[in-house]
Amino acid sequence: METASKVLFLVMDGLGDRPVAGLGGRTPLEAAHKPKFNHFAFHGATGLVDPVTRGICPGSDTSHLALFGYDPFQFYTGRGPLEAVGCGFDAKPTDVCLRVNLGTVENGVVTDRRAGRIEDIRPLLEGLNGTKVQGITFFLRPGIGYRGALVMRGGEAAISDGDPHSTGLPPLAVKSLVPKAKKTAVALNSFLEKAHRHLDNHPLNKERAKLGLPKANYLLVRGAGVLPSIPSFHRRWNLRASAIAAGGLYRGIARLLGMHIIDVAGATGTPTTDVRAKFAAAGEALRTFDFVFLHIKGTDVLGHDGKANEKKQFIERIDRELSVPAGTLFVATADHSTPCSLKAHSADPVPLLIHGPSVRSDAVREFSERAAAHGGLGRLRGIELLPEILGLLGRTPKYGE
Ligand code: ZN
Ligand code: ZN
């Protein structure tokens, strides 16, 4: 087989890291026992990716757009619309969408931004969905766990966040960023206050309080925006794509780009996810689709928690369960680094691995941040990756005579 026709596109969220003293000065990826990844690196090509561009510390949203070949500086309109689409909300082009965390507010102060990582917020949101305040209708949709989306029909998107992004502070009053958004900010603040009273008195929260659990009593909103106008993945790359991802944001981006979403039982968007089931579903999907996006979130979660050893072990589990159908172009990378030492994203470039029948191998023998710096793919910007893949599929039209 000269060239592959199918692509398995594996994104391990927040995979990139920095050397960790407890791991002998190695990164979790370097320290991990990963014979399959190393095999693919040995026979394939490696490199480094700056997901958005050099020196930018990416969010998962902007970097995924870039990895799919869409310049975030052109197409990104905020996290809210991506979350809303991911929660299954059919937003209209003028709807203002926000990401929501159900958090805990006690005595006017945020004490937990995730309400003790509450698992199901559906019943809490029911009574609030469809509420009208000052001519704006508010829709709420649950996502996974404490996450959800808030959609305002009839309002302006130029407003600030209500989420203070930290505990020990009061929730922020949403502010208008342009004069015409003033009415929207006022209505939203009034809705949030109303929602707080409703949630605080909800029987489920009274029950939680009795059990000593933090009340899920406040809608922490952020990332307001309207849907971007964006060409589908199929239209842009002429590849029929499907997506396997549990997290609302990733499903939202995939859905927005017209990818077919595949649900996998046991996929949780956490380190406990059923990695094997996800690879099995990807293998199955590759029989029908040209491009399968497989997203694994656990690496990022453990980076945020600063758990280097657990991150290493999780990478080892991915390696154990990794399976790639023969003849497939296998691309493995990350959307950004989430160094355990920072417990946050960083601008460090991420490792990239491409293996397949048409790939010219390089001298790199393992898959890691440090080794990939010597790889034949060099250093790419995220938006250069899809054109690179198209070239390896033999689908790049000639430029010039
Ligand atoms: Zn991410
Ligand atoms: Zn993250």
Side-chain angles (χ1 to χ4, degrees):
M1 207 189 295
E2 295 273 300
T3 50
S5 61
K6 309 271 178 161
V7 183
L8 175 59
F9 192 80
L10 171 65
V11 178
M12 290 168 278
D13 206 293
L15 173 72
D17 213 300
R18 292 178 179 176
V20 177
L23 296 175
R26 295 168 299 172
T27 68
L29 178 61
E30 280 182 305
H33 177 66
K34 44 177 191 316
K36 290 185 197 158
F37 279 121
N38 288 349
H39 169 92
F40 286 124
F42 184 88
H43 295 283
T46 60
L48 289 175
V49 179
D50 294 290
V52 174
T53 194
R54 236 177 148 128
I56 296 274
C57 173
S60 293
D61 42 15
T62 49
S63 65
H64 272 80
L65 284 174
L67 292 177
F68 292 137
Y70 297 83
D71 188 343
F73 295 116
Q74 183 186 349
F75 291 107
Y76 183 62
T77 56
R79 178 155 186 163
L82 304 172
E83 293 278 355
V85 174
C87 291
F89 191 84
D90 283 316
K92 299 183 177 191
T94 52
D95 285 345
V96 178
C97 311
L98 298 106
R99 157 74 191 259
V100 173
N101 269 16
L102 226 63
T104 309
V105 168
E106 276 169 31
N107 304 319
V109 169
V110 179
T111 54
D112 189 334
R113 287 185 60 246
R114 301 176 183 91
R117 292 193 179 266
I118 181 169
E119 279 173 15
D120 186 10
I121 59 172
R122 219 160 307 206
L124 291 166
L125 301 186
E126 266 161 15
L128 294 166
N129 190 41
T131 305
K132 263 194 180 169
V133 180
Q134 297 165 26
I136 295 178
T137 311
F138 293 83
F139 300 99
L140 279 160
R141 287 289 182 280
I144 287 186
Y146 57 86
R147 307 171 186 89
L150 173 66
V151 178
M152 296 190 282
R153 188 156 289 165
E156 296 289 333
I159 51 172
S160 65
D161 292 353
D163 185 347
H165 294 271
S166 148
T167 52
L169 299 169
L172 303 172
V174 174
K175 292 199 180 75
S176 52
L177 304 175
V178 296
K180 70 172 178 177
K182 199 167 175 189
K183 197 184 129 223
T184 306
V186 171
L188 176 54
N189 285 324
S190 144
F191 171 73
L192 293 176
E193 190 47 49
K194 195 176 167 142
H196 178 43
R197 282 196 303 273
H198 172 86
L199 292 169
D200 199 58
N201 291 313
H202 196 285
L204 268 179
N205 269 327
K206 296 202 159 152
E207 189 64 36
R208 284 178 70 80
K210 255 188 234 161
L211 295 169
L213 295 167
K215 282 181 167 183
N217 65 2
Y218 206 94
L219 301 172
L220 295 167
V221 295
R222 66 184 209 251
V226 295
L227 280 180
S229 151
I230 197 163
S232 75
F233 190 82
H234 183 256
R235 182 148 164 223
R236 198 167 182 90
W237 305 115
N238 196 25
L239 296 170
R240 287 164 301 146
S242 71
I244 298 169
L249 172 66
Y250 313 97
R251 293 167 76 91
I253 294 172
R255 200 168 153 234
L256 193 69
L257 298 180
M259 294 184 186
H260 175 80
I261 312 276
I262 295 171
D263 288 310
V264 176
T268 56
T270 71
T272 61
T273 197
D274 189 341
V275 180
R276 178 182 297 203
K278 291 178 94 164
F279 278 113
E284 187 62 34
L286 281 164
R287 290 142 73 103
T288 317
F289 294 93
D290 304 317
F291 183 97
V292 174
F293 160 51
L294 174 52
H295 180 259
I296 295 183
K297 181 70 177 169
T299 29
D300 181 57
V301 174
L302 294 167
H304 281 287
D305 290 346
K307 294 180 174 165
N309 203 42
E310 283 86 340
K311 189 171 175 182
K312 164 188 164 281
Q313 288 166 352
F314 185 66
I315 295 165
E316 291 173 341
R317 188 149 74 81
I318 300 172
D319 188 85
R320 275 200 303 278
E321 307 296 0
L322 177 61
S323 69
V324 182
T328 306
L329 192 73
F330 175 49
V331 180
T333 191
D335 57 342
H336 50 78
S337 297
T338 309
C340 295
S341 53
L342 293 182
K343 296 185 175 181
H345 300 185
S346 74
D348 301 310
V350 298
L352 165 68
L353 154 64
I354 307 184
H355 176 272
S358 51
V359 179
R360 224 161 47 191
S361 70
D362 56 26
V364 171
R365 292 159 168 266
E366 69 165 304
F367 183 48
S368 75
E369 297 88 340
R370 230 179 294 234
H374 304 283
L377 296 168
R379 190 157 171 167
L380 291 80
R381 282 184 68 186
I383 54 165
E384 293 171 328
L385 185 51
L386 246 297
E388 186 86 28
I389 290 169
L390 242 53
L392 292 168
L393 294 175
R395 298 176 75 135
T396 307
K398 186 158 74 173
Y399 173 57
E401 270 304 306

